[in-house]
């Protein structure tokens, strides 16, 4: 079997600006195709990932046997020049391609991908409703009034979730978004964040888990300040309290805050996560299959994390292909903790991108048992967006 054509879709959603999942579909001379997704659907970088996929496809994919996933991964790592340095563009591209190759391989063998990753460990995947500050509804709404945080949480709970995630520090009292979160918070700021968490706790009761998200914006000092709230509300974990530009910052937060620390969505490959495992500063690792290196690398990363008693919550914020890939891997992980279902994943403009609509039932996901990833692009929709073709 040989790869003979590669299609790359840089999705533009008319109903949602700044949402650009990048899909790749790899075709073979035997008529089997596979899909993958680059983990850059949000914020900046999608068109770079699409073009990086194109360049890799031209340089080393056409004519190659798609079963040789390990060899191809090594070639992308070494022959792209940039693979040996890390970073979102090259790793998003490598991840998308690798995911699609596993889809082809599993389809050719007539098994779901998880069977090739070790088989089914988890048949029910506990799932949480993610990013309540954007509401839990068909529309994205920026919430700033504490009362609305309670209402959003209530909507998720009514759908059967028993865990939610919120970034309570994203908006100020008027709904302005601040990226400067490194200076010490004022008392009114802290009261506002506290009121939002209290509204959620009041809405969901004592038995529901709350995950506290920071998006890497605080400094060590502000993260430690916030730690007081994270402890008070007995949050399940404290996500991305600081950034990754200095590998030892997480450790200081972990030393000061008595709640598990989560992170890893901006880390790539086994070498990238190594310092956080070795200093035991991350308790819940959140690699993204579309950024960490696809199935080939993310499975290795998750198993390596297990050697440090670290649990896995894959980061999932993308189109339906990212969800499908994550479910396949999570099904096969012994250290799986919980699945992330982003508020974007329940929106029509995201759900229509694929033929299958992957949604949890009563707060639990089950993986597809169809051969491959169990997901196909909805051609009627995806061909409306810019797309590139390599090969014929
Ligand atoms: Mg996050």
């Amino acid at each position: 079997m040989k790869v003979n054509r590669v299609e790359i879709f840089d999705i533009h959603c008319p109903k949602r600006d700044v949402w650009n999942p990048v899909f790749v579909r790899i075709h073979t001379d035997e008529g089997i195709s596979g899909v993958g997704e680059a983990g850059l659907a949000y914020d900046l970088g999608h068109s770079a990932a699409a073009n990086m996929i194109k360049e890799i496809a031209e340089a080393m994919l056409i004519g190659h046997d798609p079963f040789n996933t390990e060899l191809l991964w090594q070639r992308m790592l070494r022959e792209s020049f940039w693979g040996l340095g890390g970073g979102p563009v090259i790793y998003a591209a490598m991840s998308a391609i690798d995911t699609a190759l596993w889809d082809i391989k599993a389809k050719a063998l007539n098994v779901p991908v998880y069977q090739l990753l070790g088989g089914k460990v988890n048949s029910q995947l506990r799932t949480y409703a993610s990013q309540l500050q954007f509401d839990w509804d068909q529309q994205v709404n920026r919430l700033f009034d504490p009362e609305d945080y309670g209402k959003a949480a209530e909507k998720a709970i009514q759908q059967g979730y028993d865990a939610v995630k919120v970034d309570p520090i994203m908006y100020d009292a008027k709904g302005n978004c601040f990226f400067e979160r490194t200076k010490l918070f004022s008392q009114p700021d802290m009261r506002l964040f506290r009121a939002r968490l209290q509204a959620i706790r009041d809405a969901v009761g004592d038995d529901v888990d709350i995950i506290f998200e920071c998006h890497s914006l605080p400094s060590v000092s502000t993260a430690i300040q916030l730690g007081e709230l994270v402890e008070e509300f007995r949050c399940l974990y404290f996500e991305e309290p600081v950034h990754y530009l200095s590998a030892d910052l997480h450790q200081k937060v972990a030393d000061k805050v008595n709640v598990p620390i989560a992170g890893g969505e901006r880390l790539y490959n086994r070498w990238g996560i190594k310092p956080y495992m070795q200093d035991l500063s991350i308790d819940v690792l959140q690699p993204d299959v579309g950024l960490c290196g696809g199935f080939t690398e993310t499975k290795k990363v998750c198993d390596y994390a297990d050697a440090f008693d670290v649990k896995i919550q894959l980061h999932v914020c993308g189109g339906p292909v990212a969800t499908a890939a994550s479910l396949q891997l999570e099904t096969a992980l012994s250290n799986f903790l919980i699945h992330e279902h982003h508020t974007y994943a329940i929106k029509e403009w995201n759900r229509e991108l694929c033929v299958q609509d992957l949604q949890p039932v009563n707060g639990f996901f089950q993986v597809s048992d169809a051969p491959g990833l169990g997901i196909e692009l909805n051609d009627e929709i995806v061909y409306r967006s810019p797309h590139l073709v390599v090969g014929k």
Side-chain angles (χ1 to χ4, degrees), residues 128 130-131 165 213-216 239-240 265-266 286 313 315 340:
Y128 70 85
S130 185
Q131 311 293 357
K165 181 163 86 186
E213 159 80 289
C214 300
H215 290 107
S216 284
E239 176 169 333
E240 287 201 309
E265 65 184 76
R266 286 175 247 220
Q286 302 173 305
Q313 177 244 286
H315 174 252
E340 172 171 25

Side-chain angles (χ1 to χ4, degrees), residues 89 183 225 371:
V89 175
K183 292 168 189 155
Q225 246 190 324

Side-chain angles (χ1 to χ4, degrees), residues 237-291:
Y237 42 90
F238 191 18
E239 176 169 333
E240 287 201 309
V242 283
H243 64 72
Y244 307 92
L245 298 174
S246 298
D248 46 6
L249 296 184
H250 280 74
Q251 195 175 29
K252 187 163 179 193
V253 180
D255 285 347
K256 299 271 187 186
V257 180
N258 199 20
V259 166
I261 304 294
E265 65 184 76
R266 286 175 247 220
L267 297 174
Y268 318 96
N269 64 54
R270 70 201 91 154
W271 302 280
I273 66 152
K274 186 175 152 196
Y276 303 91
M277 299 297 100
Q278 290 188 337
D279 70 6
L280 305 175
S281 61
I282 286 182
D283 305 287
V284 178
L285 186 68
Q286 302 173 305
D288 188 313
V289 179
L291 286 168

